[in-house]
Amino acid sequence: MKFNRQLERLVTGINTQDGAGVSLVRVLTNDLQRRLDPFLMLDNFHSDKPEDYLAGFPDHPHRGFETVTYMLAGRMRHRDNAGNEGLLQAGGVQWMTAGSGLVHSELPEQEDGLMSGFQLWLNLASGDKMIAPSYRDLQAEQIPQVSPRPGVKVKVIAGEAFGTAGAVQRPHTEPLYLDVQLDAGQQLDLPIPAGHNAFLYVYEGGLRIGEDSRSAPAGRMAILSNAAEAAGVSLQAESNSRFLLIAGRPLNEPIAQWGPFVMNTREQVEQAIQDFRDGRM
């Protein structure tokens, strides 16, 4: 097997605000949506300053894609107009399929302390964009973990890794979502399905990637090259490191986006806006 994906490009995220003023880093931006199809966005929020997160994300709509929120620290309450409610806590995942549309809020349930985690937007295939919305809360203990050898720990949020099925499986996009911990000096050959677009986001430590051992420091996204014969990527931790590995099968469909609505045509987006204004979401 050839684990010969290489580091194609390092990306520095953009500091921004979203919701009612939550400070975050937008790692995967609109200009990368075609290259990293089926992924639309990745945000990293990390602050122990209440003014950076207390306002949260009040009621707002979505249609046409899925949101995956992974908490490292803190507490966030979800409510939506379909009657779903859940508390997202450290180590947990909220997987929401917006489908035909819903309105929800994500509000901190803490007034101080560290709030840290990620939100990923995953596109839906054209035939699934108007499916019924759904929502799933996964607590930390529901996320499978595997340790292929000492010094390596892998949380399998979606997909499959090292013979362990993840908490979530999805057709069409077949996402692989891993949170990997490598002790300093540890090497790992990480399988990635052939044909999937893939990237790493290093949030602690630093990695050497591929046969040429290019460095990816903390706070950077590493886009991995595509190679038809590649079984995955070879990694080595420069220090104690944690990173996300995210990969998915590209949909190769048109992307028409206006804020929280992601469809295939402008007309579909305009219909989504009208449906929201008319209370049909």
Side-chain angles (χ1 to χ4, degrees):
M1 298 178 71
K2 296 181 178 180
F3 290 83
N4 59 356
R5 291 195 188 221
Q6 306 299 320
L7 196 167
E8 177 182 300
R9 176 182 170 191
L10 281 176
V11 176
T12 301
I14 299 171
N15 291 310
T16 187
Q17 290 187 330
D18 209 336
V22 177
S23 296
L24 51 83
V25 177
R26 183 141 296 158
V27 181
L28 198 167
T29 51
N30 285 11
D31 60 310
L32 293 172
Q33 288 178 345
R34 300 307 304 177
R35 173 62 186 86
L36 294 176
D37 176 16
F39 304 106
L40 301 164
M41 189 184 79
L42 177 67
D43 285 346
N44 179 202
F45 49 92
H46 181 92
S47 181
D48 57 6
K49 299 176 182 178
E51 61 269 25
D52 285 345
Y53 61 74
L54 271 183
F57 302 88
D59 283 349
H60 58 283
H62 290 299
R63 173 178 281 182
F65 61 99
E66 301 185 279
T67 67
V68 185
T69 309
Y70 175 36
M71 292 290 287
L72 298 179
R75 294 158 58 90
M76 189 86 75
R77 175 71 64 178
H78 163 96
R79 293 184 176 92
D80 65 43
N81 64 346
N84 297 306
E85 181 174 340
L87 181 62
L88 187 57
Q89 305 182 76
V93 173
Q94 173 201 102
W95 197 293
M96 188 185 77
T97 302
S100 61
L102 48 69
V103 178
H104 79 147
S105 63
E106 300 156 295
L107 298 174
E109 205 156 277
Q110 63 187 64
E111 295 185 356
D112 55 27
L114 178 63
M115 177 77 71
S116 181
F118 307 92
Q119 185 168 95
L120 176 73
W121 287 15
L122 171 61
N123 207 0
L124 286 169
S126 58
D128 292 333
K129 285 193 175 290
M130 295 298 287
I131 61 175
S134 62
Y135 167 85
R136 186 178 177 189
D137 258 336
L138 296 160
Q139 302 304 323
E141 60 272 14
Q142 296 175 279
I143 309 296
Q145 298 190 54
V146 60
S147 180
R149 65 170 183 273
V152 180
K153 296 179 182 178
V154 182
K155 295 179 68 173
V156 190
I157 296 169
E160 181 178 340
F162 303 105
T164 298
V168 177
Q169 307 294 324
R170 280 290 183 270
H172 305 301
T173 53
E174 301 172 1
L176 177 65
Y177 192 154
L178 310 177
D179 180 6
V180 183
Q181 180 176 327
L182 291 183
D183 289 352
Q186 285 289 332
Q187 294 181 318
L188 180 66
D189 287 337
L190 190 55
I192 300 171
H196 277 38
N197 287 328
F199 65 93
L200 304 171
Y201 182 69
V202 184
Y203 65 93
E204 292 180 12
L207 298 175
R208 295 276 177 184
I209 298 177
E211 295 172 352
D212 54 1
S213 294
R214 290 182 60 192
S215 181
R220 305 290 289 277
M221 177 172 73
I223 298 176
L224 301 180
S225 64
N226 291 345
E229 74 281 6
V233 62
S234 295
L235 306 167
Q236 183 174 26
E238 295 178 328
S239 57
N240 291 341
S241 302
R242 289 188 70 178
F243 63 93
L244 304 180
L245 180 283
I246 297 174
R249 189 177 70 82
L251 292 170
N252 295 317
E253 296 178 350
I255 299 172
Q257 179 176 0
W258 185 86
F261 308 125
V262 184
M263 304 301 287
N264 297 114
T265 68
R266 177 175 176 173
E267 290 74 20
Q268 291 170 339
V269 170
E270 291 173 347
Q271 185 64 57
I273 295 170
Q274 192 61 51
D275 288 347
F276 172 61
R277 289 173 175 167
D278 293 344
R280 295 195 298 266
M281 196 161 285

